[in-house]
Amino acid sequence: MAVGVFWRVVFFAALWWIWAGDKPASWWFGAPAVLSAAFMAARRVGDESHRVRMRGLGMFLIYFVRASFQGGVDVAWRAMSPRMRLRPGFIEYPLRLDARRAPAVFFANIISLLPGTLSVELGETSVMVHAIDLEAPVEAQLQELERRIAAMFVAGEGA
Amino acid sequence: MEGVREALAVGVMVLGALFFVAGSVGMLRFPDVYTRLHALTKADNLGMGLLVFGLSLQAPGWQLVLKLVLIWIFVMIAGAISCHLVAREAYRQGVKPEQGGDL
């Protein structure tokens, strides 16, 4: 717990510094905010820890930027074309990641930013996904995302 | 060189603004809550990314670039989470999605 709080203080202080700049007076508000945020985060999430592979992270960022681009272009094109081509519907995607842990939550959030998919509910063994075009290879795309996230995180100690 | 950078920055930001327009058009035209969320999250994520990129080209120092990128990340987090919450609540209340075809 103590170690968790320490690193969170460092992390949140860095965020505050980036936002507020180096005006000393900003810390009158910033220091209490950083400390309370660190304590609340440590209490809420506990000591679950995951190491992130740098190589996996780099690969993931490239993939993410590319997919964000495709996602934005895809939905903008559908919105602007006179005949909107939509074949929406739900897909239940079986999770390989452990639904209670951070990588699965990360997965569910990224789903909504990628082309044509939106996470609706994170269940215990699956994610309910809404797809804007059921004829697109939605399942294959989700598998690729899940594989890339699994490659980025290394499971650590903790509850 | 400075002129090229300036032109690139403006071009990228105009493109970003167009994605916000497209996202808003999608929100108005799409048939149900789920498809409208698609329009908002994806188009805005890309539009915001392009705006941040354009502004970064004009930024006077690296600290400002860091701040802009951080803003982009937090807007994405907020967008993804709020979108998920709206979709989940609609799903739990039993809102049926449109079945589609060419609408």
Side-chain angles (χ1 to χ4, degrees), chain A residues 19 79 83 86 114 119 121, chain B residues 29 42 67 84 92 101-102:
Chain A
W19 260 318
R83 265 172 80 246
L86 306 176
L114 296 190
S119 71
E121 182 149 49
Chain B
R29 285 187 76 198
K42 285 154 200 75
K67 191 193 266 189
H84 176 73
R92 286 183 178 171
D102 293 316

Side-chain angles (χ1 to χ4, degrees), chain A residues 82-129:
Chain A
R83 265 172 80 246
M84 283 188 297
R85 202 178 164 288
L86 306 176
R87 305 190 193 288
F90 289 123
I91 289 181
E92 190 167 10
Y93 179 77
L95 267 177
R96 243 159 298 165
L97 297 164
D98 183 345
R100 287 161 303 173
R101 298 174 65 100
V105 177
F106 187 72
F107 176 60
N109 277 299
I110 299 291
I111 286 176
S112 305
L113 297 172
L114 296 190
T117 51
L118 187 76
S119 71
V120 175
E121 182 149 49
L122 179 55
E124 291 189 1
T125 55
S126 66
V127 194
M128 189 58 87
V129 174

Side-chain angles (χ1 to χ4, degrees), chain B residues 49-87:
Chain B
L50 291 170
L51 280 181
V52 161
F53 182 61
L55 286 170
S56 299
L57 289 173
Q58 292 180 329
W62 63 270
Q63 204 194 3
L64 198 63
V65 173
L66 216 55
K67 191 193 266 189
L68 286 166
V69 170
L70 211 58
I71 289 171
W72 181 45
I73 292 173
F74 274 81
V75 169
M76 269 196 297
I77 294 174
I81 290 175
S82 49
C83 157
H84 176 73
L85 289 178
V86 171

Side-chain angles (χ1 to χ4, degrees), chain A residues 17-76:
Chain A
W17 176 75
I18 293 169
W19 260 318
D22 33 23
K23 296 180 254 350
S26 81
W27 289 98
W28 285 109
F29 188 79
V34 165
L35 288 176
S36 46
F39 271 104
M40 278 189 279
R43 280 192 56 162
R44 186 76 184 81
V45 183
D47 283 338
E48 176 177 344
S49 67
H50 291 272
R51 238 178 279 276
V52 173
R53 283 199 194 96
M54 273 305 147
R55 200 184 129 73
L57 180 65
M59 300 280 283
F60 182 81
L61 285 179
I62 295 168
Y63 162 80
F64 178 73
V65 168
R66 203 185 62 214
S68 305
F69 221 91
Q70 287 169 350
V73 171
D74 174 72
V75 88

